[in-house]
Amino acid sequence: RRISAAMPLVGLLLAVLSAERAAAFYLPGVNPQSFSDGDPVKMKVNKMTSQKTLLPVDYYRLPFCQPEGGPKMDNENLGEFLVGDRIESSPYRLRMKQDMYCEQVCITNLGRGEQKGVSPNKVVRAIRKNYHNNWIVDNLSAASKVEDDTTITTRYWQGFPVGFVASDTQKAYVHNHVNLEIMYHPVETETDKYRVVRLTVEPFSIKHEFEPSEDDDDSVEEDEDGDGSGAEAAEKPFKVADIINPIPSCNGKNSVHTNYDMVYARGREPQLASGKVLFTYDVIWTENSDLHWASRWDIYLSMDDAIPAKVHWLSIANSLVIVFVLSAMIAAILVRNLR
C-alpha cells in the first residue's frame, strides 16, 4: 500500500525533472561568456583555504577592502553551493583589454602589530596558518605566480597566499599588491568579442608610505549618449591616497607594470600585516590565440601531484565515514519498518 501511495509522487517528481531538463539546457558558469573591448569583467572572491587547518574562512572575516555597499553573495550555479563555496563580490574593477597600473583599492586597518605576549590580529593569524586567497574571474580560478631572484613558479591550486613570514625577522607580512595577469582569446564566430582563458595572480608586499587623499572621485566619464555606459566610457583612476614613496608603476607618469625588481629594489621594504595599509593592483591583459575557451581548465586538471597525498587520504576517509554512517542509518530504518 505504501508503495502504491508513493507512485503518484514519484511520477510527479519525474515529470518535473523532465520539464526542467527540457527547459534548462543552459548552466551558468558552463556557457562561454564573450566580452567586447572595454566591457566590465567581474572579479569575485571565494572562501580562504589552508592546508594546515583544512578549515575554510570567509574572505571578509579579515579586514580586507570591500566593494561599495558591502559584499554580496554571487554564486552562479547549484554546484557552487553543494561544495560549500562562498563566492562574493569584490572591489576590484576590471575592463576587457584595458591595462591598469598600480590602481588603488582602499586603505584598511589590519589591527595591532605583533608583540610578545599579545594575541596577534586576524591577518597575522591567517598568514601563520598559511591561508590562501581564492579569486575568480569569469568562473576561472586564479593561479598563483611566485618569483624570486632566479626562478618563476606558477601553481594552479589553492590560490595565492595572504602573506608570508620572513625567515630572518619571523614577522608576518601581508600581500597588499597583486598583478592580475589575464589571458583572453578572440572569438572566431563573433566580431570584436573576446573570452577569458587564463587568470594568474602574482602577489607582492609593498610598504606604501601615503597620506589619505581627499580626491577619491571614482566616477565614470560620460560617453556621447551621456549615460556613462559602453566601451566609450572611460573610468577614472580610483584614488584614496597620495603615495609618498611610489615605485615606478605607482608614480602615475610611466605606463609600466609592477615587477619583482621594483618591489625588491634597494631601500624598499615589505608591508607588515598590521596598522593602516594601502591595497593596490595591476591588470595585465595578454592575447593567447592558441588557448581556446574549451581547453582553459586542462592545466588545472594536470597539477603534477601538487596537492600532498595526505589531503587526498583525508578526503577519502571522510567520505567513507559519511557513507558508512548514512548506510547504517538507512539500514536501521528499513529493518525497523519491515519488522
Side-chain angles (χ1 to χ4, degrees):
R1 291 180 181 178
R2 293 178 180 175
I3 294 176
S4 300
M7 287 301 293
L9 294 177
V10 174
L12 179 61
L13 179 60
L14 291 175
V16 171
L17 291 177
S18 300
E20 289 291 332
R21 185 177 179 183
F25 60 91
Y26 166 72
L27 294 176
V30 175
N31 209 48
Q33 184 175 3
S34 302
F35 301 91
S36 298
D37 191 351
D39 280 354
V41 180
K42 288 197 299 183
M43 199 200 79
K44 298 178 282 188
V45 297
N46 200 351
K47 61 187 178 183
M48 296 184 296
T49 52
S50 169
Q51 285 192 347
K52 280 191 175 181
T53 65
L54 298 180
L55 179 67
V57 174
D58 185 10
Y59 180 81
Y60 290 109
R61 284 284 298 274
L62 271 61
F64 290 139
C65 299
Q66 298 189 7
E68 186 177 356
K72 297 178 177 60
M73 294 297 295
D74 206 349
N75 294 82
E76 292 197 12
N77 55 60
L78 181 61
E80 294 174 350
F81 284 106
L82 294 178
V83 299
D85 285 341
R86 288 189 56 83
I87 299 177
E88 300 173 280
S89 58
S90 81
Y92 294 84
R93 301 174 298 175
L94 315 177
R95 288 188 177 273
M96 174 58 72
K97 294 182 63 178
Q98 291 187 4
D99 284 15
M100 294 182 176
Y101 304 89
C102 196
E103 188 81 0
Q104 298 180 11
V105 189
C106 79
I107 301 171
T108 182
N109 194 337
L110 302 186
R112 57 176 171 266
E114 293 186 86
Q115 298 177 10
K116 198 169 183 178
V118 179
S119 177
N121 62 53
K122 292 180 180 179
V123 179
V124 172
R125 293 200 299 268
I127 293 172
R128 293 192 178 277
K129 291 180 180 178
N130 198 26
Y131 272 96
H132 284 59
N133 290 314
N134 298 287
W135 291 0
I136 301 170
V137 169
D138 190 31
N139 292 288
L140 191 64
S141 300
S144 175
K145 183 178 179 181
V146 181
E147 187 174 353
D148 57 28
D149 293 331
T150 56
T151 60
I152 299 177
T153 305
T154 304
R155 296 189 177 95
Y156 294 90
W157 59 282
Q158 287 289 328
F160 65 96
V162 175
F164 65 95
V165 178
S167 57
D168 51 355
T169 63
Q170 291 301 310
K171 289 187 176 182
Y173 296 87
V174 65
H175 286 138
N176 61 324
H177 179 95
V178 291
N179 278 1
L180 301 174
E181 302 177 8
I182 308 175
M183 291 185 181
Y184 63 91
H185 179 88
V187 182
E188 292 87 350
T189 57
E190 301 178 69
T191 304
D192 296 330
K193 292 287 186 177
Y194 311 93
R195 291 172 182 166
V196 176
V197 294
R198 182 71 49 82
L199 169 62
T200 306
V201 178
E202 184 175 10
F204 293 109
S205 182
I206 306 174
K207 186 177 182 180
H208 293 301
E209 294 180 3
F210 60 89
E211 294 180 354
S213 174
E214 296 180 358
D215 181 17
D216 59 354
D217 182 16
D218 62 337
S219 59
V220 177
E221 292 180 0
E222 293 185 350
D223 55 17
E224 293 179 357
D225 297 330
D227 59 359
S229 61
E232 298 296 329
E235 199 167 287
K236 294 180 180 179
F238 186 73
K239 187 177 181 181
V240 296
D242 296 315
I243 303 177
I244 300 174
N245 62 336
I247 58 178
S249 61
C250 296
N251 60 17
K253 300 178 182 178
N254 302 322
S255 295
V256 56
H257 287 293
T258 306
N259 58 45
Y260 180 85
D261 294 331
M262 293 181 193
V263 176
Y264 292 95
R266 181 175 295 180
R268 304 296 311 191
E269 296 179 3
Q271 175 62 56
L272 287 168
S274 60
K276 292 186 177 181
V277 177
L278 173 63
F279 282 80
T280 54
Y281 67 102
D282 280 29
V283 182
I284 307 169
W285 292 91
T286 307
E287 181 176 344
N288 189 334
S289 302
D290 298 326
L291 180 59
H292 294 265
W293 185 91
S295 306
R296 65 179 188 166
W297 276 100
D298 291 355
I299 196 166
Y300 292 88
L301 302 177
S302 58
M303 295 185 296
D304 195 21
D305 298 326
I307 299 179
K310 63 179 181 181
V311 176
H312 289 292
W313 283 114
L314 182 61
S315 300
I316 292 172
N318 186 40
S319 301
L320 290 176
V321 169
I322 294 175
V323 170
F324 177 77
V325 172
L326 293 178
S327 300
M329 292 174 59
I330 294 174
I333 294 172
L334 289 175
V335 170
R336 185 176 179 180
N337 289 337
L338 290 175
R339 283 183 179 178

